[in-house]
Amino acid sequence: MSCWHRCSIRCRLAVVAGVVMALLCTAMAVFIVVMSRQAAVGFRTDQLFSGAVSLGAQLRHRVPDLTEIGPGQAIQVFNPAGTMVAATRDLAGRPPMTHLRPDPDAYATTTSCDARVFPGRCMIVLAYPFHREDGVWQLNMAVPDVPWYVGSELIIPLATGCVLLVAAAVAGSYRIVGKTLQPVDAIGGNLAQITASGDLRHRVPVPKYRDELRALAETANRALERAQMAVDQQLRFASDASHDLRSPLTAMRIRIDEALIDPRQADWQRTADALLDSVERMQALICDLLHEARLDAGVTGRHEPIDFTELVAGELERRLAKTDLRHRLTPGVMVDGSRIELSRLLNNLLDNAERHATSAVTVTLTLDGEVVTLEVSDDGEGIAPEHREIIFQRFTRLEASRARDPGGTGLGLPIARQIAQSHGGTLTAQDSPRGARFVLRLPERGTSRPPSG
């Protein structure tokens, strides 16, 4: 793995900030140098022209001896025939410094690099014509060109400033990113501690500013809360399941032990009947537990178009009712779902209603707009409002339910609600003039809008 990938996000962002600042500084420095050089070249050209005008005024009257001019000056004077009549000491007897021939009333400039008269140097050359009695003469003057960096007075402060700006950008971004990521480090540390200890009661710290990091922390806390609820639910599930499985096993062992104490005097028919009841109870509980596990894992049957009216009517006809079973079914109600699971949902509701009914159970199926509503009501003692959600919790059995059916598992209604939810619907316990009333709402076939509770 490369060093870049091993580097922390703080280091990478600091490096990126430094590179960006370096590019910006380079662009700014290039712009400053280019503009400064253009200004310096213009200023030097203006000075050169002023010197040519001044010297040209003298040359109109007489040609002075230019060899006495100090070093650094480059001047050549040519008569109308093109013969050099005067020059500074370094250019005496040398070729013309330029071949420019401007108009008599104008002047011309050029930049000459590594010319024969200026080997290894770049010069700004000016050709300035002036008039005398015998014709138009030409004055050539040159000064050194401005270097690309203009001068040390400019390039050194620029380079120093760029270095300082890049260093400040790297250090500042490293510090700012570090401050910004402190909540992330805290969240990561807490999550690592929670992972190591397995204690889901801990929560990650929530930053005070309402930003993305606060949203991340709140999302992590909600996930931890849901995980804790799921673990607690699984622990309760395992505890209740083991308790409910232990009861029939204990009863079976007791019956077998009693029969084995005196096999000859034992009532084996009665013992077998008792054992069969315990086995059936265990079988029902195990089937419910397996179905609950499948629903928890999101495993559902294949959904297909179903005539819900026909399904409900068929289940009611096949059922060996323990009470008077009444029904009012709207014909032709269609839903999308699993026939097996919807049949189980209906039978769970009917089992619960028959268990608590005094004399009758009523089943009603209606279609209101795009919502299919199935109601299962009984004329029993009913459910108190504060218990209408508790009964949908796993292994929850109210006192009345335990008294009427000691062998129940407490999973029928939770399974029914999970089946309803897996079909995009709801299952609730609603008010009723007498007894309990369970209301199932499902979307009609071809609609995806979830029904309101």
Side-chain angles (χ1 to χ4, degrees):
M1 185 181 295
S2 65
C3 295
W4 174 256
H5 290 91
R6 290 197 299 267
C7 182
S8 66
I9 187 172
R10 187 184 307 180
C11 295
R12 291 200 296 269
L13 289 177
V15 171
V16 170
V19 171
V20 171
M21 181 57 71
L23 292 175
L24 291 175
C25 284
T26 301
M28 180 180 64
V30 169
F31 177 77
I32 292 175
V33 168
V34 170
M35 298 304 295
S36 299
R37 187 177 181 280
Q38 288 180 353
V41 169
F43 178 75
R44 192 164 293 186
T45 302
D46 291 341
Q47 283 188 322
L48 186 62
F49 176 70
S50 298
V53 171
S54 177
L55 183 56
Q58 298 180 28
L59 290 172
R60 286 188 178 92
H61 305 289
R62 65 182 184 85
V63 178
D65 184 7
L66 300 179
T67 58
E68 300 299 327
I69 296 178
Q73 297 284 338
I75 303 173
Q76 292 178 328
V77 180
F78 296 89
N79 60 21
T83 303
M84 183 187 302
V85 297
T88 53
R89 181 174 302 173
D90 294 337
L91 296 180
R94 305 290 298 277
M97 65 177 70
T98 181
H99 296 288
L100 290 175
R101 292 292 182 265
D103 295 335
D105 296 325
Y107 70 95
T109 60
T110 186
T111 300
S112 177
C113 291
D114 203 23
R116 291 173 58 191
V117 292
F118 304 118
R121 291 188 296 167
C122 286
M123 305 290 288
I124 301 175
V125 181
L126 180 142
Y128 177 75
F130 60 95
H131 297 268
R132 293 190 61 167
E133 294 178 356
D134 54 349
V136 179
W137 291 49
Q138 183 167 319
L139 170 63
N140 294 339
M141 296 182 65
V143 292
D145 193 12
V146 180
W148 66 266
Y149 56 87
V150 181
S152 58
E153 300 85 356
L154 177 66
I155 199 65
I156 292 177
L158 273 179
T160 304
C162 284
V163 171
L164 293 177
L165 282 175
V166 171
V170 171
S173 62
Y174 187 86
R175 181 177 177 81
I176 291 172
V177 172
K179 287 284 187 182
T180 304
L181 293 180
Q182 275 184 352
V184 177
D185 294 337
I187 292 172
N190 276 263
L191 290 177
Q193 181 181 359
I194 293 170
T195 302
S197 64
D199 189 355
L200 295 175
R201 292 173 299 176
H202 293 291
R203 297 292 181 267
V204 301
V206 178
K208 61 181 180 179
Y209 299 110
R210 294 190 175 276
D211 53 13
E212 291 81 358
L213 295 179
R214 183 185 178 97
L216 173 63
E218 291 174 345
T219 302
N221 283 335
R222 286 195 295 270
L224 289 172
E225 185 175 353
R226 287 194 295 270
Q228 183 183 3
M229 292 174 59
V231 170
D232 292 343
Q233 188 177 28
Q234 292 299 324
L235 291 175
R236 288 194 302 269
F237 181 85
S239 176
D240 293 339
S242 62
H243 178 271
D244 279 29
L245 286 172
R246 192 183 302 116
S247 297
L249 284 172
T250 302
M252 294 169 67
R253 183 183 180 114
I254 292 174
R255 290 286 184 178
I256 294 173
D257 287 342
E258 289 176 349
L260 291 177
I261 290 174
D262 190 357
R264 295 182 179 180
Q265 299 297 325
D267 187 348
W268 287 105
Q269 181 63 42
R270 184 179 176 185
T271 300
D273 290 340
L275 291 176
L276 183 59
D277 288 341
S278 296
V279 169
E280 289 177 350
R281 182 181 173 187
M282 288 182 60
Q283 184 179 14
L285 178 60
I286 291 172
C287 287
D288 285 345
L289 289 174
L290 290 175
H291 196 84
E292 190 83 14
R294 285 171 58 86
L295 291 173
D296 286 342
V299 178
T300 60
R302 184 174 65 88
H303 285 206
E304 58 185 357
I306 297 174
D307 188 329
F308 200 39
T309 304
E310 179 184 337
L311 184 148
V312 174
E315 292 296 328
L316 293 178
E317 289 177 4
R318 286 190 294 270
R319 188 173 184 82
L320 299 176
K322 302 175 184 178
T323 60
D324 183 16
L325 196 56
R326 306 167 185 173
H327 59 83
R328 296 189 302 273
L329 308 179
T330 300
V333 176
M334 301 293 295
V335 297
D336 287 315
S338 167
R339 182 177 295 274
I340 295 176
E341 291 181 357
L342 290 177
S343 297
R344 173 146 196 176
L345 186 158
L346 174 61
N347 282 293
N348 284 3
L349 294 179
L350 292 173
D351 289 341
N352 181 78
E354 289 180 350
R355 187 181 302 121
H356 296 89
T358 301
S359 60
V361 173
T362 303
V363 178
T364 304
L365 177 63
T366 59
L367 177 61
D368 183 11
E370 297 179 345
V371 178
V372 176
T373 303
L374 174 70
E375 297 185 8
V376 178
S377 306
D378 62 68
D379 57 355
E381 70 279 4
I383 305 172
E386 62 271 17
H387 294 153
R388 289 178 184 172
E389 280 300 314
I390 297 176
I391 58 176
F392 290 104
Q393 297 178 5
R394 297 172 181 177
F395 299 107
T396 297
R397 303 188 68 206
L398 303 180
E399 290 299 327
S401 178
R402 292 181 182 275
R404 287 178 175 268
D405 184 15
T409 64
L411 290 173
L413 292 178
I415 288 176
R417 172 171 276 189
Q418 280 191 279
I419 293 174
Q421 292 173 345
S422 69
H423 285 73
T426 61
L427 176 61
T428 56
Q430 301 287 340
D431 293 333
S432 177
R434 182 182 178 186
R437 182 169 69 101
F438 288 88
V439 179
L440 168 69
R441 289 186 174 89
L442 296 173
E444 186 187 14
R445 183 190 173 215
T447 64
S448 58
R449 181 177 61 87
S452 61

